[in-house]
Amino acid sequence: MSGVPADTDWFSVYFETRAPAGTAAAKAENAADALLDLLMDNSGTVSASRSSWGARVSVLAFDAREAAETGVALIQRMAVKAGMPSWPSVRAEATRQDVLDEDNAKPTLPELVSAPEAAEILGVSPQRVHELASSPGFPEPMYELRTGRLWLESAISAYADRRQRKPGRPRKNAAAS
């Protein structure tokens, strides 16, 4: 990239504040919009609620420490200009942009399976999964939706590994007949 000093990288810097306990909630919508405008040159983003606000900017720096110092100072300076509440900081993070992009590309939800997928893993029918789900040792579902249960794929796989399958159809209880 031309114009970028050697040995520097782009960093994403996040800074967050929260109102001290017992502080009256503040409405900072106009101030948040003003802060967003002031941070535009640094690809800024702003989030605000009645008891907290945070901002993210991009800065060019030699390392994460320099990026954090530069980015936080920029955000704090512009926050004062914008009229944001001067609450105590609770978080300051500097992440090299390529690392942040990598992290953002990773899934944030665990791998979940429904009864048909669990049946494939276990080598049984979906109906049998529902029967097994009520037996001791079967993993608890992560979610129960109107459309059915969802389990962690890893929990179903672990259950499949430790399950001792007996050949043939399962025996019916005497009470069921």
Side-chain angles (χ1 to χ4, degrees):
M1 219 184 316
S2 64
V4 174
D7 298 331
T8 60
D9 284 303
W10 283 102
F11 286 83
S12 178
V13 178
Y14 180 71
F15 176 75
E16 182 181 346
T17 70
R18 292 203 182 146
T23 302
K27 188 172 182 184
E29 189 175 316
N30 292 337
D33 289 342
L35 179 57
L36 184 60
D37 291 341
L38 290 169
L39 297 176
M40 191 180 310
D41 290 344
N42 292 84
S43 303
T45 60
V46 175
S47 61
S49 72
R50 298 179 68 77
S51 60
S52 70
W53 66 267
R56 182 179 296 277
V57 293
S58 294
V59 296
L60 194 58
F62 290 100
D63 59 21
R65 176 172 290 185
E66 179 190 12
E69 291 170 359
T70 303
V72 168
L74 171 68
I75 292 168
Q76 288 176 321
R77 217 173 36 255
M78 296 302 144
V80 169
K81 281 186 183 181
M84 293 298 286
S86 58
W87 294 326
S89 62
V90 295
R91 180 173 299 147
E93 300 173 349
T95 309
R96 209 173 61 215
Q97 190 62 50
D98 62 325
V99 172
L100 183 62
D101 291 344
E102 241 177 66
D103 289 348
N104 288 339
K106 294 176 186 170
T108 56
L109 289 175
E111 293 292 324
L112 300 173
V113 295
S114 63
E117 292 94 0
E120 285 180 24
I121 293 168
L122 296 170
V124 298
S125 70
Q127 294 80 8
R128 180 70 178 134
V129 169
H130 293 293
E131 292 170 5
L132 290 171
S134 62
S135 65
F138 196 84
E140 289 293 318
M142 285 295 295
Y143 299 99
E144 291 195 41
L145 308 173
R146 289 188 341 192
T147 57
R149 296 174 181 168
L150 297 175
W151 294 272
L152 283 174
E153 180 184 36
S154 59
I156 296 297
S157 295
Y159 177 79
D161 291 344
R162 70 178 182 271
R163 181 171 174 244
Q164 296 175 352
R165 270 187 90 174
K166 297 177 182 131
R169 295 179 59 95
R171 300 180 100 195
K172 293 193 179 227
N173 288 341
S177 37

XYZ file of all heavy atoms in Angstrom, residues 13 16-17 22 33 38 40 69 73-75 83-84 87 90 105 113 115 125 139 145 152 155 176:
170
model
N -9.696 -0.599 16.894
C -9.648 -0.274 18.321
C -11.069 -0.074 18.827
O -11.833 0.707 18.242
C -8.809 0.996 18.582
C -8.819 1.349 20.067
C -7.386 0.800 18.080
N -15.090 1.143 25.312
C -16.448 1.104 25.876
C -16.470 1.744 27.254
O -15.532 1.587 28.034
C -16.926 -0.346 25.972
C -18.329 -0.503 26.500
C -18.755 -1.961 26.605
O -18.076 -2.845 26.039
O -19.775 -2.209 27.265
N -17.557 2.458 27.547
C -17.769 3.055 28.868
C -19.115 2.592 29.409
O -19.999 2.188 28.643
C -17.792 4.593 28.820
O -18.974 5.012 28.158
C -16.587 5.148 28.107
N -26.033 3.556 40.066
C -26.780 4.625 40.710
C -26.825 5.919 39.921
O -27.496 6.855 40.313
N -24.793 10.312 17.451
C -24.771 10.649 16.020
C -23.618 11.606 15.721
O -22.919 11.465 14.712
C -26.092 11.277 15.587
C -27.233 10.278 15.551
O -26.960 9.052 15.515
O -28.404 10.711 15.555
N -17.896 12.492 13.735
C -16.516 12.878 14.037
C -15.522 11.738 13.794
O -14.340 11.991 13.539
C -16.406 13.361 15.489
C -17.084 14.696 15.794
C -17.144 14.923 17.309
C -16.345 15.843 15.105
N -15.860 9.437 11.406
C -16.047 8.931 10.048
C -14.720 8.710 9.313
O -14.557 7.722 8.607
C -16.927 9.884 9.237
C -17.375 9.308 7.917
S -18.407 10.422 6.959
C -19.640 10.935 8.124
N -3.506 3.036 22.416
C -3.313 4.394 22.934
C -3.837 5.443 21.960
O -4.555 6.365 22.351
C -1.829 4.632 23.234
C -1.320 3.828 24.411
C 0.200 3.880 24.568
O 0.887 4.533 23.733
O 0.696 3.261 25.518
N -7.396 7.468 22.640
C -7.256 8.925 22.763
C -8.136 9.636 21.732
O -8.807 10.625 22.060
C -5.791 9.333 22.603
N -8.152 9.130 20.513
C -8.987 9.716 19.459
C -10.467 9.640 19.838
O -11.199 10.640 19.758
C -8.740 9.002 18.128
C -9.682 9.366 16.986
C -9.453 10.809 16.546
C -9.498 8.406 15.822
N -10.904 8.460 20.260
C -12.314 8.282 20.622
C -12.683 9.204 21.783
O -13.721 9.883 21.745
C -12.612 6.802 20.968
C -12.490 5.931 19.715
C -14.004 6.667 21.594
C -12.470 4.431 19.993
N -20.198 15.527 23.031
C -21.072 15.637 24.199
C -21.509 14.301 24.776
O -22.535 14.213 25.457
N -20.701 13.260 24.555
C -21.017 11.949 25.130
C -20.779 11.998 26.640
O -19.910 12.728 27.111
C -20.125 10.862 24.514
C -20.365 10.595 23.042
S -22.022 10.010 22.654
C -21.959 8.341 23.249
N -18.342 8.666 31.252
C -18.401 7.559 32.190
C -17.068 6.825 32.214
O -16.283 6.912 31.266
C -19.515 6.594 31.785
C -20.890 7.166 31.902
C -21.340 8.052 32.833
C -22.003 6.890 31.054
N -22.676 8.326 32.632
C -23.113 7.632 31.541
C -22.192 6.083 29.939
C -24.362 7.585 30.951
C -23.440 6.035 29.344
C -24.507 6.776 29.859
N -14.616 0.704 30.567
C -14.678 -0.685 31.037
C -13.967 -1.638 30.080
O -13.709 -2.782 30.427
C -16.141 -1.154 31.258
C -16.794 -0.362 32.372
C -16.949 -1.080 29.978
N -14.735 -14.226 10.627
C -15.124 -15.230 9.637
C -15.494 -16.568 10.284
O -16.145 -17.404 9.663
C -13.988 -15.448 8.630
N -27.664 -30.025 15.835
C -28.350 -31.007 14.991
C -29.766 -31.226 15.512
O -30.023 -31.136 16.710
C -27.597 -32.367 14.939
C -26.238 -32.219 14.264
C -27.428 -32.979 16.307
N -33.325 -33.881 15.153
C -33.514 -35.338 15.230
C -33.047 -36.068 13.962
O -32.363 -37.092 14.081
C -34.968 -35.665 15.549
N -33.367 -44.383 13.346
C -34.404 -43.546 12.734
C -34.641 -42.304 13.596
O -34.343 -42.306 14.799
C -35.702 -44.337 12.623
O -36.249 -44.538 13.913
N -27.858 -36.890 25.746
C -27.579 -35.462 25.984
C -28.856 -34.625 26.066
O -29.837 -34.892 25.373
C -26.761 -35.043 24.757
C -26.303 -36.300 24.119
C -27.265 -37.377 24.504
N -37.470 -26.018 20.471
C -38.288 -25.119 19.663
C -39.624 -25.773 19.364
O -39.798 -26.979 19.581
C -37.563 -24.808 18.344
C -36.117 -24.320 18.471
C -35.484 -24.213 17.095
C -36.079 -22.988 19.182
N -26.289 -30.347 20.672
C -24.929 -30.102 20.210
C -24.471 -31.322 19.424
O -24.603 -32.460 19.895
C -23.979 -29.892 21.384
C -24.004 -28.556 22.082
C -23.106 -28.592 23.310
C -23.560 -27.455 21.140
N -22.080 -33.444 21.335
C -22.679 -34.258 22.402
C -23.311 -35.520 21.821
O -23.198 -36.604 22.406
C -23.726 -33.442 23.165
N -45.907 -51.422 28.508
C -46.357 -50.887 27.228
C -47.243 -51.874 26.494
O -48.031 -51.497 25.646
C -45.146 -50.523 26.362
